[in-house]
Amino acid sequence: AVVSTQSTGNTHDVSVVPDISPTESMSELLDVVIGPILTLCNLSASQLDPVDNAVYIINLVAGLYSVLAMYENTDKKLELLQNKIDEELETLTNLQYDHMIKITSVPPTEMINTERLSTVSTKLDQALLNTELLWLHQCTRLSALRHRNVVWHGACEQFVKVYSTLIQSPHNTSMLTKSPEQIADLLK
């Protein structure tokens, strides 16, 4: 018995390939691929310190985002990836800010006194001569310049707010001579 190619092809199309739209197919494929990739990314970064963890995840997810952005019907997954990037950028911004506070020896508000402000003034002047001292070196490993800028500008904004508080402290007897605006300009 000879079976014609045409009848075999028709049977194969009906029995094996479901009738789904390209949008549904892409969505299902992305569900199967993206979730495990993000899980693997988080697991592989879990043993890193917080700064390296954030940089690693941002770079990996941003790369995945740029690949997916080339395809149609990926809006929901792109939004998920962007949210993950934003979350890690916020974490990295806070870590960058903490580093800046540490480098310049800015004390907690309740511990401000004349001696501590003198130390802040000296260390801040040194750091402003070479702002690279204020950078977490891992931040330079962010693959996208826009991500580095988000982290730096966010941390600088937080730092200037704290500096403004120090300027207004009753213990500041003209040790901190630069205005918050001057600090912001010097950190750009």
Side-chain angles (χ1 to χ4, degrees):
V2 177
V3 178
S4 77
T5 308
Q6 184 178 13
S7 66
T8 305
N10 289 341
T11 305
H12 178 71
D13 286 346
V14 172
S15 63
V16 178
V17 180
D19 187 24
I20 59 175
S21 72
T23 303
E24 290 172 355
S25 177
M26 180 63 103
S27 178
E28 289 174 9
L29 177 65
L30 291 176
D31 287 341
V32 170
V33 173
I34 300 300
I37 288 175
L38 289 177
T39 301
L40 182 61
C41 174
N42 286 324
L43 285 173
S44 63
S46 66
Q47 299 301 313
L48 300 173
D49 69 74
V51 176
D52 289 328
N53 181 309
V55 169
Y56 176 81
I57 290 173
I58 291 167
N59 285 340
L60 190 130
V61 175
L64 188 56
Y65 184 98
S66 61
V67 169
L68 275 184
M70 294 187 286
Y71 296 96
E72 294 179 11
N73 307 315
T74 59
D75 295 342
K76 288 181 182 178
K77 292 301 176 191
L78 289 173
E79 184 179 335
L80 171 79
L81 295 175
Q82 186 60 54
N83 288 340
K84 183 66 174 169
I85 292 168
D86 292 344
E87 176 186 317
E88 295 299 329
L89 284 171
E90 183 177 334
T91 298
L92 195 54
T93 298
N94 290 331
L95 292 166
Q96 174 63 57
Y97 162 74
D98 290 343
H99 179 72
M100 293 169 80
I101 292 294
K102 180 181 172 189
I103 292 294
T104 57
S105 299
V106 173
T109 311
E110 64 277 358
M111 299 177 73
I112 295 174
N113 60 39
T114 306
E115 183 181 321
R116 288 179 185 230
L117 286 179
S118 176
T119 302
V120 169
S121 178
T122 302
K123 290 193 175 199
L124 182 59
D125 286 342
Q126 291 169 353
L128 290 173
L129 291 174
N130 182 6
T131 56
E132 289 180 16
L133 297 173
L134 293 172
W135 265 102
L136 281 167
H137 72 277
Q138 295 97 323
C139 289
T140 61
R141 294 185 184 137
L142 286 168
S143 57
L145 177 60
R146 72 180 181 282
H147 293 153
R148 289 192 296 271
N149 288 339
V150 164
V151 170
W152 181 251
H153 293 297
C156 288
E157 187 177 301
Q158 290 179 44
F159 185 83
V160 169
K161 285 179 185 176
V162 169
Y163 184 81
S164 297
T165 304
L166 294 176
I167 286 282
Q168 297 169 5
S169 167
H171 298 287
N172 183 24
T173 56
S174 68
M175 283 174 278
L176 300 174
T177 57
K178 293 177 181 61
S179 71
E181 294 77 22
Q182 288 173 312
I183 296 296
D185 286 342
L186 291 168
L187 291 174
K188 286 184 179 177

